Amino acid sequence: MESFDLKRYAHLGDAVYEVFIRENVIFKTKSLNNMHKNTTAFVCADFQAKIAEIIFENFLNDEEKEIFRRARNLPLTVNKRNKPDIHRYATALECITGYFYLNNKQKLDKMFEIVKENMNI
């Protein structure tokens, strides 16, 4: 698997992850202002990095861990506000999300259950 493929998984995973978060937020939040605050809280690199560590340690098999590690080491443009390590873990989460979306929807659903368990709305 080349880094180009990993970037494609991350690009797709970013969208899939955000739709998942938004879908969950709209059913748990009444005001539009709170919807936006909750969405940005769970789509931010800090939260994604936290979830990524949980998923890496407790959920992925060896092949998936290798995809995660390789995605974590992709050359990235890092936002000035984010620490590079946090941004790398967030990107790895997006990559594995895209990978599961295309290759294993059941595992994606199980991964999203872990995300839900860690969302405090």
Side-chain angles (χ1 to χ4, degrees), residues 59-100:
F59 185 69
L60 303 180
N61 65 33
D62 290 340
E63 179 185 339
E64 296 157 354
K65 283 183 178 185
E66 182 60 24
I67 293 167
F68 184 99
R69 281 188 204 98
R70 292 182 68 198
R72 190 180 61 205
N73 293 321
L74 286 170
L76 303 169
T77 304
V78 178
N79 185 317
K80 291 178 184 177
R81 292 178 290 169
N82 292 333
K83 296 176 184 170
D85 287 346
I86 290 172
H87 192 72
R88 290 183 183 288
Y89 271 87
T91 299
L93 176 68
E94 291 168 352
C95 182
I96 207 70
T97 300
Y99 176 80
F100 286 151

Side-chain angles (χ1 to χ4, degrees), residues 22-105:
R22 285 176 181 248
E23 183 179 321
N24 280 275
V25 166
I26 65 168
F27 291 112
K28 295 182 179 185
T29 311
K30 292 185 179 166
S31 80
L32 288 175
N33 188 39
N34 285 338
M35 279 185 215
H36 177 72
K37 285 180 183 178
N38 284 321
T39 299
T40 56
F42 300 125
V43 175
C44 74
D46 287 330
F47 182 78
Q48 286 180 311
K50 174 186 160 190
I51 293 298
E53 287 186 55
I54 293 167
I55 287 169
F56 181 83
E57 294 297 326
N58 303 304
F59 185 69
L60 303 180
N61 65 33
D62 290 340
E63 179 185 339
E64 296 157 354
K65 283 183 178 185
E66 182 60 24
I67 293 167
F68 184 99
R69 281 188 204 98
R70 292 182 68 198
R72 190 180 61 205
N73 293 321
L74 286 170
L76 303 169
T77 304
V78 178
N79 185 317
K80 291 178 184 177
R81 292 178 290 169
N82 292 333
K83 296 176 184 170
D85 287 346
I86 290 172
H87 192 72
R88 290 183 183 288
Y89 271 87
T91 299
L93 176 68
E94 291 168 352
C95 182
I96 207 70
T97 300
Y99 176 80
F100 286 151
Y101 181 79
L102 291 175
N103 298 296
N104 192 337
K105 295 269 192 330

